[in-house]
Amino acid sequence: MTALYIALIVIAVIMILLIIPADCVIDVSYRNGENQNSVIIKYAFLKFRVIPAVKDEEKTEEKEEKKKDNKDKQDKKGNNIFGLIKTFKTIFAEIKQDISKLLKYMISRGVRIKELNISSKFGMGDPMYTGMATGAANALVYNAVSWADNNMRLDKWNVSLEPDFDNAVLAAGVYCKIRTNCIYILKIGVMAAFLLLKILKINRRIKEDV
């Protein structure tokens, strides 16, 4: 009987962990010629900063050495580029429906956008060109947000596009808070795993035909 209680408690804990939402906060901004980007993942009381990553001097040195080795290898791989392109086209032709199914599930069910803020201040230095850029920017941004609102679960959004007709300036920022559940992540992971297995199978078949 004790073992049954323990099993039920374990199952309950697992279900609770799967139901707890996980948030991903993406904050991208460009001001005065500098990029300021951050990606933070929050799960329950845990918080992980993905970007900017912690700097590691040793890893940086290793990466530089690997880059030098990769430069030497690039020339050798140049002859195989056309074969790789042909293989990619063949694989994509057979898995495009699976990719579409995976993306459709991620967009419609797996991900909820809790908050989306887009802001920009721009000027071309000339009122006429600034006016043209304003029309193009409004059409592009509002059409993209409208598509997301119609096809995704978008709870809250705000767009602020401020043209400066007197100065040449560019500043922009995007803040996006995405929410999902571990149960959706598991399903997406399973779908992606089957897709990867299918890709490996197709690639093996192509090699055997050659």
Side-chain angles (χ1 to χ4, degrees), residues 101-110 184 187-188:
K101 184 179 178 181
L102 177 60
L103 292 176
K104 186 177 180 180
Y105 176 79
M106 292 175 62
I107 291 173
S108 61
R109 295 289 304 278
Y184 290 126
K187 185 171 182 179
I188 292 171

Side-chain angles (χ1 to χ4, degrees), residues 59 103 137 162 182:
K59 290 184 178 179
L103 292 176
E162 181 184 351
C182 290

Side-chain angles (χ1 to χ4, degrees), residues 70-183:
N70 289 334
K71 287 181 180 179
D72 297 333
K73 294 178 180 179
Q74 282 179 355
D75 296 333
K76 296 179 181 179
K77 292 183 178 180
N79 297 328
N80 298 327
I81 187 67
F82 294 106
L84 292 174
I85 293 175
K86 185 178 179 181
T87 302
F88 176 79
K89 288 177 65 177
T90 304
I91 293 174
F92 180 75
E94 296 192 29
I95 66 170
K96 59 182 179 181
Q97 292 184 352
D98 299 279
I99 294 176
S100 177
K101 184 179 178 181
L102 177 60
L103 292 176
K104 186 177 180 180
Y105 176 79
M106 292 175 62
I107 291 173
S108 61
R109 295 289 304 278
V111 174
R112 176 188 291 274
I113 301 178
K114 298 292 294 181
E115 186 176 354
L116 175 63
N117 294 322
I118 301 175
S119 61
S120 177
K121 183 178 181 180
F122 56 91
M124 307 297 291
D126 184 289
M128 182 183 71
Y129 291 116
T130 301
M132 295 171 62
T134 301
N138 277 277
L140 176 64
V141 173
Y142 280 101
N143 280 331
V145 173
S146 177
W147 181 90
D149 194 19
N150 292 329
N151 295 276
M152 304 178 68
R153 297 186 295 173
L154 179 58
D155 293 345
K156 179 182 177 182
W157 63 271
N158 180 61
V159 174
S160 176
L161 303 178
E162 181 184 351
D164 188 337
F165 292 95
D166 299 321
N167 304 301
V169 63
L170 176 60
V174 177
Y175 175 87
C176 183
K177 184 177 181 181
I178 301 172
R179 174 164 292 182
T180 186
N181 289 68
C182 290
I183 191 167

